[in-house]
Amino acid sequence: MVEGGNHEVSMQMQAEHLQQIRGDILGKWSSLQDAASEKKKDLMQQLRYHKLIREKDELIAWITDYLQIANDECYKDTSNLKGKKRQHQDLLEEIDMKEVID
């Protein structure tokens, strides 16, 4: 009967040890999920930042292109007024489109 009692105590100790290991694993899993959530949040912030930088660069390039057109003194040459008028209309349409998108 003593051997049966020792066996039960040993089984109970093993069960307690397994429960402790299980608890440790679940705790580590929870910590891993929290860390992954924080990392995702940081990555999303970085993505928004990079999109903003890209949009800024595109806007600067767009403004630079149209400043060159605006500062072009070929307006004095009246032979191409229809072309200049079309460029002006295109610019106005593009500005309207950008306002609608934003």
Side-chain angles (χ1 to χ4, degrees), residues 4 12 14-16 20 23 38-39 42 47 50 52-53 55 59 62-63 70 72 81 87 90-91 96 101:
Q12 184 176 355
Q14 286 179 356
E16 289 172 3
Q20 181 182 6
E38 285 297 315
K39 183 66 174 178
D42 290 343
L47 178 64
H50 288 288
L52 178 67
I53 296 299
E55 289 174 3
L59 183 60
W62 180 81
I63 290 172
D72 189 2
L81 286 179
Q87 280 183 335
D90 290 346
L91 172 62
D96 288 341
I101 291 172

Side-chain angles (χ1 to χ4, degrees), residues 57-69:
D57 292 342
E58 290 172 356
L59 183 60
I60 288 173
W62 180 81
I63 290 172
T64 302
D65 289 344
Y66 278 100
L67 277 176
Q68 288 175 349
I69 292 170

Side-chain angles (χ1 to χ4, degrees), residues 19-95:
Q19 286 294 337
Q20 181 182 6
I21 292 172
R22 180 181 181 273
D24 292 345
I25 291 172
L26 290 175
K28 289 178 182 179
W29 176 251
S30 178
S31 295
L32 179 64
Q33 286 179 316
D34 292 343
S37 177
E38 285 297 315
K39 183 66 174 178
K40 181 179 179 180
K41 181 180 167 184
D42 290 343
L43 289 171
M44 293 305 292
Q45 287 176 344
Q46 289 178 19
L47 178 64
R48 285 191 297 274
Y49 172 76
H50 288 288
K51 283 182 179 179
L52 178 67
I53 296 299
R54 185 184 68 233
E55 289 174 3
K56 176 211 47 119
D57 292 342
E58 290 172 356
L59 183 60
I60 288 173
W62 180 81
I63 290 172
T64 302
D65 289 344
Y66 278 100
L67 277 176
Q68 288 175 349
I69 292 170
N71 292 327
D72 189 2
E73 291 193 18
C74 71
Y75 66 89
K76 294 177 184 177
D77 179 14
T78 58
S79 64
N80 193 14
L81 286 179
K82 286 184 181 180
K84 293 299 175 185
K85 184 178 179 183
R86 184 68 217 154
Q87 280 183 335
H88 181 70
Q89 288 172 339
D90 290 346
L91 172 62
L92 293 177
E93 288 174 9
E94 207 168 322
I95 290 171

